[in-house]
Amino acid sequence: MATMAQAIRLALHYGEENLGVKDIFGEDVGPPLGGVFTCTQGLKNAWNSPLDERGIIGCAMGLAIAGQRPVAEIQFSDYIFNTIDLLKMCGNTLWCSNGIWQVPMVVMTPVGAGIHGSIYHSHSFESIMTHIQGWKIVMPSCAYDAYGLMLSAIQDPNPVMYLIPKALLRSQGEEKIPGEPENPKELSKMIDAPLGDRSQWKPKWPDLGDPKMPLGKAKIRLEGEHISVISYGRMLPLCMEAARQLADEGVDCEVIDLRTLFPYDQKTIFDSVKKTGRVVVVNEDTEVTNYGEHILRRITEDCFYYLEAPPTLLAGANVPGIGLSEPLEQASVPQLSSIINTLRKVAETA
Amino acid sequence: MLSSKEQKKIYELMVKTRVLEERLIKMNKSGQGFFWIGGPGEEAFNVPLGLLINKGEGLNHDFLHFHYRQSATLLTMGAKMIDVIRQMHNVAADPYSGGRNFVNHFAVKEWNVVNVTSPIEVQYAFCIGTGVAQARNKAKGITIVTGGDAGTAEGEFQSCLLWSSRKNRELPILIIVTNNRWGISTPQNEVHPKSGIAARAKGFGIKTAAVNGNNPLTSYEALQKAMHYVRKERKPFLMEVFVSRLYGHSSASGANWVGGEADCIREFEKQLKKKKIMKDSDFQKIRQKYEEEAKKALIEVLEEPKPDPASIFNHVFVDRKDAELV
Ligand SMILES: Cc1ncc(C[n+]2csc(CCOP(=O)(O)OP(=O)(O)O)c2C)c(N)n1
């Protein structure tokens, strides 16, 4: 099956063929490289921008205002921080103009740790991003969702921030993207650029479809009775593995993949927590004023009388960065072992 | 050369704007509006700009990324005095922001006026995008961006110069900087190099012009030339326009007549009289006409309702969907 990087590429190809996307741009996004993670390889409308994040966001907003459907990339979310006031404006332009100017644009940017990226290739961004109003914010945890969410993001009339869990970009999906060939090797032959000179190379695109994945809808990845585990992005597969291991101990986890962080799927969350009475939110952003704290606050207010254990957040340590060395990274962001321990503890709380 | 009729029209629009701005200042001082910022002192440039804009919606018309001193351009394009007064009084009927934003923060979709916003210089980043779209589509429209001199210290100014001047990827952007020699209270010579703003564009190979913005006729001509270049060559052009700031920065600095700066309306009156195009009594009549219009508009606006508090969630997202966390 396609990797997440291939899935994003396929989605962008679908976008330029069927959804009017004429600009897919950012630093090293166009040929010859096609993105530092290959997400934009071989796309006919991909182009290299100057190394200027504020210019990139500004350009995307102008394109959106002009009725285009731009997809802009910030190479790493670690470098998006100098655009925050512009992101605010992309998100508030509709509101400030009382509905006059719509800003249909997508910004994609890789987030999170897991690739030994050290201090400036490991930042998370969702806690800051969810403070910026007027944006929809998505983060896939698998290739199939990466594809579907991108198509929906492009079609949404609002600005959409598409956070890419960079450590998952090479992971293969389990579900087939509509139109994807059976054999992953075949797909690779069709759409992965050759090493070395690629000036003559052209991808061969499969005939793709749109799975019509709505924004704002979570997915229950695993049903269970004892404890609700709410996560997304890179932490989601770890939560699934933790749930599998805990099943052997008789702990029955329900794992929810939020997929859209804003507007998030309140109903799925509340229904689950009301059923299990126990909840852990898992993400890798730093823990103070963490996005998960908001989810827990709403759960505390709305599901209080159903709760049987303290609603719990497992998140990154509140430190300025992720250190390069393995023990430093492991101590900074949740690991399989810490997820298992936290879930077990909450499950066992009497 | 502009005909007498055209000159008269420019004069009328300049006065109309000045009268409106003075009315807005009065409104602020008498508690009928929370904050005033505007463009008295820039009329001689901004009226010709309004006259020369290819007005309309979409890529085949000019995209306008303005700052908060552009009232003369908007009135010239056909904005109504009463609507500006509505924004000043932040009533629901304010067509630009529904009572959400400061006065002179225009937004008009039918004329490609992208909403004016408070953060300095961001429009120089956003204009890149409309420029890219127009360049690609070989559209008839160009992109026009305006802002002040102090703001050019921000990175977006350099972004605009750089993105618009990339070889074979030039963008049809008319980059305008109105230089009033101040950023609120900071004099230009304290924070900017002596060489001036236009000189910075030259480093990018961008053609430039320095313009006396206190003279509507030379402004008109200079704009015509610059616009012709951008429209035809599909390349950027920078105009540094020297203007006055007749009532200071904004109501935050008192909004009082400063004195000692050239008043473009007085200067133009002298010219018009000398050329026998108009006389003192004409000037008076025109001023009176607009003072009455402004007063009448104000009386009407004072009766209009303020926005509904429940409307705060409107337009967070398109169609209001998903805006409210129930
Ligand atoms: C990014 C940003 N910083 C600071 C301010 C506060 N501020 C408002 S106007 C202004 C001065 C702007 O001067 P200039 O660019 O010369 O334009 P002018 O107002 O003189 O026309 C400042 C500092 C702001 N609005 N935005």
Side-chain angles (χ1 to χ4, degrees), chain B residues 188-322:
Chain B
Q188 190 186 16
N189 57 18
E190 208 174 301
V191 288
H192 279 271
K194 240 170 116 178
S195 49
I197 291 157
R200 283 159 62 194
K202 287 184 187 145
F204 293 82
I206 295 176
K207 278 200 190 316
T208 66
V211 182
N212 172 12
N214 274 321
N215 182 336
L217 306 183
T218 52
S219 291
Y220 189 96
E221 239 169 74
L223 269 164
Q224 231 177 358
K225 253 197 217 155
M227 278 189 182
H228 179 74
Y229 173 83
V230 180
R231 291 192 196 289
K232 193 153 163 275
E233 301 293 326
R234 315 308 290 169
K235 285 182 181 165
F237 190 101
L238 182 137
M239 292 181 91
E240 181 175 5
V241 187
F242 296 94
V243 294
S244 297
R245 198 181 69 167
L246 297 174
Y247 281 90
H249 175 74
S250 69
S251 56
S253 52
N256 296 314
W257 182 263
V258 273
E261 301 216 11
D263 176 353
C264 55
I265 292 184
R266 292 286 158 270
E267 300 293 321
F268 196 30
E269 283 174 354
K270 278 187 225 159
Q271 279 190 50
L272 291 167
K273 274 201 310 200
K274 212 164 117 193
K275 288 189 270 186
K276 302 217 177 346
I277 295 174
M278 294 173 88
K279 48 187 191 305
D280 280 326
S281 56
D282 299 326
F283 302 148
Q284 267 165 18
K285 243 192 264 153
I286 288 168
R287 185 165 259 277
Q288 241 166 28
K289 177 172 108 184
Y290 290 119
E291 274 170 359
E292 267 157 39
E293 183 182 336
K295 213 183 284 168
K296 233 178 92 208
L298 174 64
I299 290 166
E300 196 179 326
V301 169
L302 289 177
E303 298 300 314
E304 291 180 349
K306 297 281 176 179
D308 174 5
S311 70
I312 59 168
F313 289 103
N314 291 355
H315 312 301
V316 175
F317 290 119
V318 173
D319 301 333
R320 203 175 197 265
K321 239 179 103 223
D322 308 316

Side-chain angles (χ1 to χ4, degrees), chain B residues 67-69 118-120 148-151 154 180 182-184 249:
Chain B
H67 69 152
Y68 42 68
R69 303 210 190 275
S118 295
I120 295 295
D149 51 294
E154 299 276 8
N180 59 24
W182 294 98
I184 305 186
H249 175 74

Side-chain angles (χ1 to χ4, degrees), chain A residues 124 204 282 306:
Chain A
S124 290
K204 217 178 120 225
V282 183
Y306 296 86

Side-chain angles (χ1 to χ4, degrees), chain A residues 336-350:
Chain A
L336 180 59
S337 56
S338 57
I339 297 173
I340 291 174
N341 290 340
T342 305
L343 297 184
R344 189 187 286 125
K345 189 170 152 218
V346 173
E348 285 171 356
T349 302

Side-chain angles (χ1 to χ4, degrees), chain A residues 24-208:
Chain A
I24 300 162
F25 67 104
E27 296 155 15
D28 308 295
V29 160
L33 191 61
V36 289
F37 292 102
T38 75
C39 293
T40 53
Q41 226 170 46
L43 297 167
K44 67 177 185 196
N45 293 337
W47 50 273
N48 293 323
S49 75
L51 203 170
D52 174 15
E53 288 78 17
R54 294 178 65 78
I56 292 168
I57 299 299
C59 179
M61 164 142 160
L63 283 163
I65 286 277
Q68 317 289 296
R69 293 258 163 190
V71 179
E73 180 179 89
I74 299 297
Q75 199 164 63
F76 291 91
S77 71
D78 309 66
Y79 309 118
I80 203 170
F81 293 87
N82 71 339
T83 71
I84 284 184
D85 61 325
L86 300 182
L87 296 178
K88 265 191 86 74
M89 267 165 260
C90 299
N92 73 20
T93 289
L94 179 75
W95 190 89
C96 293
S97 64
N98 206 24
I100 292 174
W101 285 109
Q102 299 187 4
V103 186
M105 61 187 267
V106 178
V107 174
M108 59 179 191
T109 188
V111 294
I115 62 157
H116 308 294
S118 99
I119 300 164
Y120 273 100
H121 301 81
S122 303
H123 269 102
S124 290
F125 191 53
E126 71 266 30
S127 297
I128 289 178
M129 192 59 218
T130 46
H131 278 81
I132 303 179
Q133 294 75 26
W135 283 79
K136 299 195 175 175
I137 303 155
V138 302
M139 170 132 60
S141 72
C142 61
Y144 185 81
D145 286 4
Y147 180 82
L149 290 173
M150 179 58 86
L151 296 197
S152 301
I154 291 168
Q155 291 169 84
D156 201 273
N158 302 286
V160 180
M161 179 61 68
Y162 184 98
L163 301 174
I164 304 172
K166 66 170 95 70
L168 298 182
L169 277 166
R170 305 258 175 277
S171 65
Q172 255 170 4
E174 291 170 6
E175 240 172 308
K176 207 164 80 77
I177 287 164
E180 182 188 345
E182 290 299 331
N183 185 345
K185 284 206 183 105
E186 167 77 13
L187 179 68
S188 176
K189 246 203 290 189
M190 291 169 76
I191 70 164
D192 289 342
L195 296 174
D197 177 29
R198 32 177 90 156
S199 52
Q200 300 309 310
W201 168 76
K202 274 218 162 71
K204 217 178 120 225
W205 298 102
D207 192 11
L208 298 158

